């Protein structure tokens, strides 16, 4: 958990979040590199149709994982930019404090709980 402070998003807390985000980005970059390496190693000259189908399915899963990691890296970079411009930890919809506990659990969060719940309700209504 980030250090306690009387001030919301104190310099010490922001430094803690910055390091957490950098650590996550490094982990995702490593995971992405490993996924790419695995994709390159896959044998495409499999004679058996079942083996080939299984290999292709694994390939699709690996590609999706790589896309997901790329998406998360963009969110991390955006969070780091918010730290730099002083808006980290504040809801992008209503400008309320998101909260230290929520940010610790989801350091790329951009919405407070109320706005996130409202957005999810709107999505459910649109999907029905």
């Amino acid at each position: 958990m980030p250090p306690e402070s009387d001030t919301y998003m104190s310099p010490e807390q922001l430094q803690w979040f910055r390091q957490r985000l950098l650590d996550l980005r490094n982990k995702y970059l490593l995971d992405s590199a490993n996924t790419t390496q695995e994709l390159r190693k896959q044998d495409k000259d499999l004679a058996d149709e079942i083996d080939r189908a299984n290999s292709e399915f694994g390939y699709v899963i690996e590609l999706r994982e790589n896309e997901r990691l790329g998406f998360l890296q963009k969110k991390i970079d955006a969070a780091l930019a918010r730290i730099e411009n002083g808006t980290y930890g504040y809801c992008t919809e209503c400008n309320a404090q998101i909260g230290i506990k929520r940010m610790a659990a989801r350091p790329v969060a951009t919405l407070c709980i109320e706005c996130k719940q409202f957005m999810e309700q709107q999505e459910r209504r649109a999907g029905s």
Side-chain angles (χ1 to χ4, degrees):
M1 283 295 289
E4 297 216 9
S5 175
D6 292 335
T7 306
Y8 182 69
M9 289 299 164
S10 68
E12 295 82 14
Q13 290 171 333
L14 287 173
Q15 180 56 37
W16 187 90
F17 282 111
R18 181 182 293 109
Q19 190 58 54
R20 173 105 193 271
L21 288 162
L22 290 171
D23 291 346
L24 282 174
R25 184 171 64 181
N26 289 336
K27 178 192 179 307
Y28 292 147
L29 286 172
L30 181 62
D31 288 350
S32 181
N34 288 338
T35 299
T36 301
Q37 187 176 16
E38 284 298 313
L39 290 174
R40 288 187 179 137
K41 286 188 335 187
Q42 286 186 359
D43 187 6
K44 299 296 178 204
D45 296 323
L46 298 171
D48 184 78
E49 288 181 33
I50 294 172
D51 288 343
R52 198 168 39 250
N54 192 29
S55 178
E56 288 175 12
F57 179 73
Y59 182 76
V60 168
I61 297 296
E62 295 288 337
L63 282 176
R64 284 187 184 161
E65 179 66 13
N66 238 14
E67 287 176 15
R68 184 182 145 283
L69 292 173
F71 180 72
L72 288 171
Q73 288 172 13
K74 289 177 185 172
K75 289 184 115 184
I76 289 169
D77 290 342
L80 289 167
R82 286 192 304 278
I83 287 175
E84 295 307 314
N85 70 24
T87 60
Y88 185 79
Y90 292 90
C91 180
T92 56
E93 290 295 314
C94 70
N95 207 32
Q97 294 178 357
I98 294 174
I100 297 294
K101 286 183 181 180
R102 176 160 163 72
M103 295 305 296
R106 179 114 174 107
V108 296
T110 59
L111 299 172
C112 66
I113 292 291
E114 292 80 15
C115 288
K116 182 67 174 169
Q117 288 173 341
F118 178 76
M119 180 187 289
E120 288 172 353
Q121 288 171 353
Q122 296 301 323
E123 289 171 357
R124 279 194 294 274
R125 287 184 188 140
S128 7

